[in-house]
Amino acid sequence: MEKDHCSLDYYRQRLGQLSPLSAKRKQILRQIFSEVVRIAGDDVNLQLQLLIEQAKKLSGDGLDPIQKTLCEREILAQAMGILEASEKLWRNYEEQYQDAYAEAWLKTLEYFYRRYRDYNAQQAQVATWLNFRLKNEFKTQREKQYQQRQQVQSSTSEDDRQDLLAMMASPSYGQEAELMRRDIENWLQSDTELVGVTVKNQPAITAQLLLQRRFIEEVEWSQLAKEYGVAIATLSSFYERQCRGRLIAFMESNYDFIQPDTPINPCEHLRGLLGKKELRQNQFEQQLQEWIETESTLRELRLAQKPGITGQRLLQELLLTIRKSRQGLTQVAQSLGVEPGELERFYEFQLLPHILQFVHKNLSQSR
């Protein structure tokens, strides 16, 4: 058995050594899958445990964060494919709650990708562990769907910090949340670039100051506007365009792309990438535009709910939108005629791996 595990370790390490763009990645992943089946036979639980074990071992392979995240996603995606194809995954057969189940399963997947290291084989089988999460998520989504059917809820504007604050407050993160908050405060004090980013004609209002007051101290917009003598719209627009993207980019680069309980906002993610100093120096935006126009894979990826929306079209719309003041995902969704949540999931689970590969290639060429 130990010898069998050595073969898995070999293929995992080979995967980590390959370029994100290498065509050999699919071949190595097939070999990993074949080895797992050879070792575990028809034992689905053992198959899942072996793949989770390999994902955990990536931390000791000395990979950079982008490569490590890509390898994790590829290996863990194999595990989830096995679970979905098995009879061990809990299912909902109530027709009226199929949407609630689909949403609950997506949230369970997001939880698994973020917290797979917490799995303990001595306490439960993998399916039991995830089914417990899935059932609880389903109850939450079913109740939410029921309430939505009982009353027409007015749409609410996006608060500039709710997604990240929700992540920081999530019990799934435990003590990590407080550590992250302290790290963010240290970053705000030490990153000199933040001091140089200011509101137009208001040099005293910097990105550093606004992130400290709004995100860390949670001061209301009305109070900030009164304190600095600037309109709320001016402050919130500056925060959206210049602060949030940098904050998210910092968190991604320091926490191996830890994601909140809900999918990431594509506009925020792209703003964060475009704001990275090391990428800007390499004419990243121009190269990104050229890649979007020429990459054939982006034309093949399609939104399931509306196949006319390809990966290429979505990225083009996102880039056009983030160049405009006070524009975001809501406007992109309205333009394309879909729900923002559908675009978030399409971006994270279909487009993000390809974007990470492109970023990795860009950074490698600049070194």
Side-chain angles (χ1 to χ4, degrees):
M1 181 64 73
E2 187 174 329
K3 189 175 181 180
D4 290 331
H5 281 238
C6 287
S7 64
L8 273 176
D9 291 340
Y10 168 76
Y11 288 124
R12 182 199 73 248
Q13 291 166 353
R14 284 281 295 119
L15 184 67
Q17 293 165 0
L18 292 174
S19 162
L21 301 176
S22 174
K24 293 183 179 180
R25 297 187 73 87
K26 290 184 178 179
Q27 178 185 345
I28 295 298
L29 286 167
R30 284 195 296 268
Q31 290 173 318
I32 290 176
F33 178 78
S34 297
E35 283 298 298
V36 165
V37 172
R38 185 181 67 80
I39 296 170
D42 295 330
D43 189 334
V44 172
N45 185 61
L46 183 54
Q47 291 176 5
L48 297 174
Q49 288 179 345
L50 288 171
L51 288 169
I52 291 174
E53 178 187 8
Q54 289 303 308
K56 289 180 178 180
K57 287 183 176 180
L58 287 167
S59 298
D61 288 347
L63 304 177
D64 65 64
I66 292 178
Q67 181 75 313
K68 177 174 173 289
T69 297
L70 179 61
C71 291
E72 279 181 337
R73 286 292 177 104
E74 290 173 333
I75 292 174
L76 295 175
Q78 286 191 328
M80 290 301 92
I82 291 172
L83 180 59
E84 287 189 87
S86 74
E87 297 180 355
K88 294 182 177 293
L89 182 65
W90 179 76
R91 310 279 182 180
N92 162 66
Y93 296 101
E94 298 179 78
E95 185 65 31
Q96 69 270 35
Y97 291 122
Q98 288 302 312
D99 289 344
Y101 178 81
E103 186 68 21
W105 174 234
L106 284 174
K107 286 185 175 294
T108 302
L109 277 177
E110 293 159 12
Y111 171 82
F112 173 68
Y113 283 129
R114 191 180 68 245
R115 306 298 296 180
Y116 73 91
R117 294 181 186 84
D118 291 345
Y119 171 69
N120 187 339
Q122 303 301 316
Q123 295 180 351
Q125 293 192 357
V126 178
T128 303
W129 178 55
L130 288 178
N131 281 338
F132 176 79
R133 179 81 181 191
L134 176 58
K135 290 176 183 178
N136 284 328
E137 287 286 2
F138 174 70
K139 291 177 183 177
T140 300
Q141 295 303 318
R142 183 177 60 184
E143 179 62 25
K144 180 180 177 181
Q145 182 176 314
Y146 174 78
Q147 291 176 356
Q148 288 173 339
R149 287 175 177 175
Q150 298 304 306
Q151 57 182 350
V152 178
Q153 298 180 336
S154 60
S155 61
T156 56
S157 61
E158 293 181 322
D159 185 279
D160 286 319
R161 60 191 167 81
Q162 283 307 310
D163 53 356
L164 288 174
L165 287 176
M167 181 191 70
M168 301 280 279
S170 171
S172 298
Y173 281 85
Q175 294 182 345
E176 291 179 24
E178 182 57 33
L179 292 174
M180 290 163 67
R181 183 180 291 273
R182 288 205 295 267
D183 286 346
I184 290 171
E185 289 188 271
N186 292 334
W187 165 65
L188 290 178
Q189 298 304 315
S190 61
D191 192 328
T192 56
E193 182 181 354
L194 296 174
V195 181
V197 180
T198 66
V199 174
K200 186 176 181 180
N201 299 325
Q202 296 286 341
I205 306 177
T206 66
Q208 179 196 63
L209 175 67
L210 203 52
L211 280 167
Q212 177 68 35
R213 300 301 308 282
R214 178 63 178 166
F215 182 75
I216 298 297
E217 299 174 17
E218 304 179 30
V219 180
E220 296 294 333
W221 285 122
S222 57
Q223 182 177 334
L224 291 172
K226 183 178 180 180
E227 184 175 338
Y228 298 119
V230 178
I232 292 177
T234 300
L235 290 177
S236 61
S237 175
F238 175 76
Y239 187 85
E240 172 70 24
R241 291 181 293 104
Q242 300 290 354
C243 301
R244 293 191 74 185
R246 287 179 167 85
L247 174 61
I248 292 170
F250 168 79
M251 297 180 73
E252 288 179 338
S253 62
N254 285 275
Y255 299 102
D256 293 341
F257 296 92
I258 288 178
Q259 303 298 338
D261 290 334
T262 55
I264 60 174
N265 184 308
C267 288
E268 296 167 1
H269 186 258
L270 285 177
R271 278 194 180 101
L273 289 178
L274 295 177
K276 282 189 174 182
K277 186 176 181 180
E278 61 270 32
L279 290 174
R280 290 203 312 270
Q281 293 173 343
N282 201 30
Q283 297 181 320
F284 176 71
E285 184 171 0
Q286 179 181 342
Q287 293 188 36
L288 178 63
Q289 290 175 328
E290 293 174 356
W291 174 70
I292 292 172
E293 294 295 333
T294 58
E295 178 57 49
S296 60
T297 303
L298 297 178
R299 295 192 291 271
E300 297 170 0
L301 296 171
R302 298 180 181 273
L303 183 66
Q305 296 86 348
K306 198 170 182 179
I309 300 176
T310 64
Q312 181 189 61
R313 184 182 175 189
L314 175 57
L315 289 173
Q316 289 170 337
E317 288 286 340
L318 290 170
L319 284 180
L320 286 173
T321 299
I322 63 178
R323 293 193 187 102
K324 302 174 184 176
S325 175
R326 302 173 65 185
Q327 298 287 299
L329 186 62
T330 299
Q331 286 71 35
V332 176
Q334 290 174 348
S335 172
L336 297 176
V338 295
E339 292 295 320
E342 294 172 356
L343 295 182
E344 287 177 326
R345 289 186 284 271
F346 180 48
Y347 183 88
E348 180 172 0
F349 293 104
Q350 297 291 327
L351 301 182
L352 187 57
H354 299 282
I355 293 171
L356 295 183
Q357 290 177 2
F358 174 73
V359 171
H360 176 81
K361 180 181 178 182
N362 186 280
L363 289 172
S364 298
Q365 290 176 343
S366 66
R367 293 187 182 119

